[in-house]
Every structure is written in structure tokens, then in C-alpha cells.
Amino acid sequence: MSDSRQTRVHDCDILELDRHHSLRKGNLSVVENGGSLPFDVRRVFYLYDVPAGSARGGHAHRSTHQVIVAVAGSFSLLLDDGIVKRTIVLNRPYMAIHVRPGIWNELYDFSSGAVVLVLASDRYDESEYIRKYKDFMSFKKAK
């Protein structure tokens, strides 16, 4: 889907990351450009020590794709396309959600010790963000 104004919450796929298990060595999950991701990663960041009761996100992207993973602990992710809202609980380090452009997202209800890994298709560009919900709704309604 090239026009992010048409993207819907059910276009955001749940991904199961490649994982390897060893009783003696523990678990290993793999994420590779050209492999397990639907885009090449240009930016990586992570959230941690989020205070109890806090929320993160609260924005949409015009063209950036993101894959979000709970590498430790858990949190809830609200996806909103301006019509339908969908909440996903991420609590397994081998499960991820592909958040497509044009989807409002909010992360909340962080467990103690939660660590959120975000893999993004583009470098940071403030003009690429839609930070006010009313602007997001205008964006989604524009033709």
C-alpha cells in the first residue's frame, strides 16, 4: 500500500521472528535486512525505564515503517487508523508488530523492566511525524 492515508490497523502484521533455542545456551532471535523484515532498517532505538503509568508514542508516521518488539517485559500497543482501533499486548521477545505508515500508535501499560526495541525504515526526520491527533485525522481524510 503506497498511500499511507489508506492504511488500516489490520494491515499491521504480527511477525514471528526467527528464533533458535538451546537448553544449555538459552534463546536467540534473529532480525536481518532482506530476511525477516518487510523493509531495510535505517534506524534502531529502544525504550526502557519507562515510569509506571506513562505512555509513549502518541503519533503517526507519514512514510516510515516500524517493527516493534518487547525484548523484555510487556506493554500494550494501541493502533488506530482513524476508524478502527486495535490493541495488541506484546510480551514475547520473538513476536513483533509491523506498524505501517499512516497508523496512530500509543504504547502504554509497561511492566516493570520492560524494554521496547523499535526498528525503523527511515532515519529520524521530525517533519515525517504527525504528533497531534486532529492533524492525523485531517491527514487520513485528505485525498
Side-chain angles (χ1 to χ4, degrees), residues 99-125:
V99 180
R100 295 177 181 266
I103 298 294
W104 185 267
N105 69 85
E106 298 177 22
L107 293 81
Y108 63 97
D109 196 23
F110 292 88
S111 69
S112 177
V115 178
V116 180
L117 176 67
V118 181
L119 309 167
S121 64
D122 296 301
R123 293 176 182 249
Y124 177 80
D125 177 0

Side-chain angles (χ1 to χ4, degrees), residues 21-41:
H21 174 72
S22 168
L23 288 175
R24 291 184 303 118
K25 298 179 183 180
N27 298 309
L28 170 81
S29 287
V30 177
V31 179
E32 295 178 320
N33 284 336
S36 55
L37 296 175
F39 56 83
D40 282 346
V41 176

Side-chain angles (χ1 to χ4, degrees), residues 31-114:
V31 179
E32 295 178 320
N33 284 336
S36 55
L37 296 175
F39 56 83
D40 282 346
V41 176
R42 304 260 339 236
R43 181 171 180 237
V44 176
F45 61 94
Y46 51 97
L47 308 170
Y48 57 96
D49 292 340
V50 178
S54 295
R56 298 297 308 252
H59 62 265
H61 291 279
R62 298 175 193 282
S63 60
T64 298
H65 292 253
Q66 294 183 322
V67 166
I68 300 176
V69 183
V71 294
S74 65
F75 61 91
S76 295
L77 173 63
L78 172 70
L79 302 173
D80 180 348
D81 61 23
I83 298 170
V84 175
K85 294 181 181 184
R86 176 182 178 197
T87 300
I88 297 169
V89 175
L90 289 170
N91 59 7
R92 293 187 175 105
Y94 57 88
M95 299 302 292
I97 184 79
H98 174 201
V99 180
R100 295 177 181 266
I103 298 294
W104 185 267
N105 69 85
E106 298 177 22
L107 293 81
Y108 63 97
D109 196 23
F110 292 88
S111 69
S112 177

Side-chain angles (χ1 to χ4, degrees), residues 1 3-13 79-84 86 98-104 136 140-141 143:
M1 226 173 252
D3 185 354
S4 60
R5 291 174 296 198
Q6 302 301 314
T7 306
R8 299 293 174 232
V9 295
H10 294 291
D11 297 326
C12 297
D13 303 314
L79 302 173
D80 180 348
D81 61 23
I83 298 170
V84 175
R86 176 182 178 197
H98 174 201
V99 180
R100 295 177 181 266
I103 298 294
W104 185 267
F136 168 71
K140 291 297 273 192
K141 292 177 183 173
K143 298 288 180 197

